[in-house]
Amino acid sequence: MLPLTRALTALLLAMIGLVLLLSGEAGAANGAYAVDATDISELGSCKLESWWSRATNTDFSAVANPSCVVDLGRPFELTLQASRARADGDWSTTLSPKLKTVLVPTAIGRFGLAIEAGGSYVAASGNNTVAFVTLPATYRLSETMRVNLNAGWLWDRTIDQHYLSYGVGFDWKFTDTLQLTLEGFGLSGAPDDSAGKIRPRAQAGVRWRPNEIFSMDLIVGHNITGENARWITLGTTVRFPEAFK
């Protein structure tokens, strides 16, 4: 089987299992961070990000986010996120595919640039509810510090409203195994009756990465989905460096 076919098959099988886990009888996350960096993983690698989030207003989400980097003429990161969420007492399951590639690689003292595009679908009906395009830019200050800037377009198809999306984040690897992330993000361009959707959002987290395979994040945030609530998130990432090399 060709490497690309193997990767896509593995990603599809993983997603089938994850969707069953999130929406079935079990009752039951750049990871859970909202501001993306320019970089993608190495060609031929895969990873599985997952996170659990809970808000002070009892909103909840559980997310599984598998991805692989494949050769489509150039390296592309393919992601298919599954999310099971409760908002205002209502439960929903969504699938969010995304495609990302690097346009300008990052380096110390200069900006790197990528482009990503995707959307969200309601699992029960298959209806496309969101489409988006984002340009993540990263400026590396040193080997341990970087600034991430995001700008893009988002279309909320449920209300046929277009938004400008934005984000700024700062990453600092302050020990060999610990990294601090601070970020602010949001949407602009909503009408006055949608003020909740454009309320600024922010979160801060610490990542513990004891080796190249596994990492864990603890994140606290505010207004993560636009509501007036505080969130806490616990996330993990498992990497497969040579998934189909």
Side-chain angles (χ1 to χ4, degrees), residues 102-235:
V102 175
L103 302 176
V104 180
T106 61
I108 295 176
R110 76 176 191 194
F111 274 102
L113 182 66
I115 185 170
E116 58 189 21
S120 291
Y121 297 82
V122 177
S125 64
N127 291 334
N128 176 213
T129 56
V130 172
F132 69 88
V133 176
T134 304
L135 295 173
T138 295
Y139 187 87
R140 291 193 175 275
L141 300 168
S142 68
E143 291 287 351
T144 60
M145 290 188 286
R146 66 184 182 184
V147 176
N148 301 311
L149 303 174
N150 289 184
W153 160 83
L154 183 143
W155 178 22
D156 186 339
R157 299 191 66 203
T158 60
I159 58 174
D160 195 24
Q161 176 66 42
H162 298 267
Y163 301 91
L164 296 176
S165 62
Y166 63 88
V168 56
F170 173 72
D171 297 327
W172 174 34
K173 188 176 181 181
F174 58 96
T175 77
D176 289 340
T177 60
L178 295 175
Q179 175 177 297
L180 172 69
T181 295
L182 307 173
E183 58 181 24
F185 53 98
L187 302 171
S188 64
D192 292 339
D193 59 356
S194 300
K197 295 182 74 70
I198 61 171
R199 183 176 290 127
R201 313 164 194 200
Q203 56 183 11
V206 174
R207 169 168 292 182
W208 175 57
R209 186 170 178 176
N211 53 53
E212 293 301 313
I213 302 299
F214 176 79
S215 64
M216 179 178 292
D217 294 281
L218 180 62
I219 309 168
V220 293
H222 191 57
N223 297 334
I224 299 306
T225 59
E227 80 305 316
N228 186 23
R230 297 189 181 278
W231 288 78
I232 186 166
T233 298
L234 180 65

Side-chain angles (χ1 to χ4, degrees), residues 15-25 27-28 60-64 81-87 90-96 120-129:
M15 278 307 307
I16 292 172
L18 291 166
V19 171
L20 291 175
L21 173 64
L22 290 171
S23 60
E25 295 180 359
F60 166 87
S61 67
V63 179
Q81 178 178 297
S83 174
R84 179 70 169 163
R86 179 182 65 211
D90 297 324
W91 286 92
S92 63
T93 301
T94 58
L95 302 177
S96 303
S120 291
Y121 297 82
V122 177
S125 64
N127 291 334
N128 176 213
T129 56

Side-chain angles (χ1 to χ4, degrees), residues 2-141:
L2 295 174
L4 176 57
T5 304
R6 289 202 301 268
L8 294 175
T9 301
L11 187 58
L12 178 59
L13 291 175
M15 278 307 307
I16 292 172
L18 291 166
V19 171
L20 291 175
L21 173 64
L22 290 171
S23 60
E25 295 180 359
N30 223 10
Y33 296 104
V35 181
D36 205 357
T38 297
D39 304 311
I40 62 176
S41 302
E42 293 294 325
L43 184 65
S45 66
C46 295
K47 62 183 176 182
L48 175 58
E49 300 167 314
S50 57
W51 60 93
W52 173 93
S53 301
R54 187 175 180 85
T56 52
N57 64 353
T58 74
D59 285 359
F60 166 87
S61 67
V63 179
N65 189 50
S67 64
C68 290
V69 181
V70 302
D71 188 353
L72 301 178
R74 61 186 300 146
F76 277 85
E77 183 176 70
L78 307 180
T79 303
L80 191 52
Q81 178 178 297
S83 174
R84 179 70 169 163
R86 179 182 65 211
D88 296 328
D90 297 324
W91 286 92
S92 63
T93 301
T94 58
L95 302 177
S96 303
K98 185 177 75 172
L99 188 68
K100 177 182 176 183
T101 190
V102 175
L103 302 176
V104 180
T106 61
I108 295 176
R110 76 176 191 194
F111 274 102
L113 182 66
I115 185 170
E116 58 189 21
S120 291
Y121 297 82
V122 177
S125 64
N127 291 334
N128 176 213
T129 56
V130 172
F132 69 88
V133 176
T134 304
L135 295 173
T138 295
Y139 187 87
R140 291 193 175 275
L141 300 168

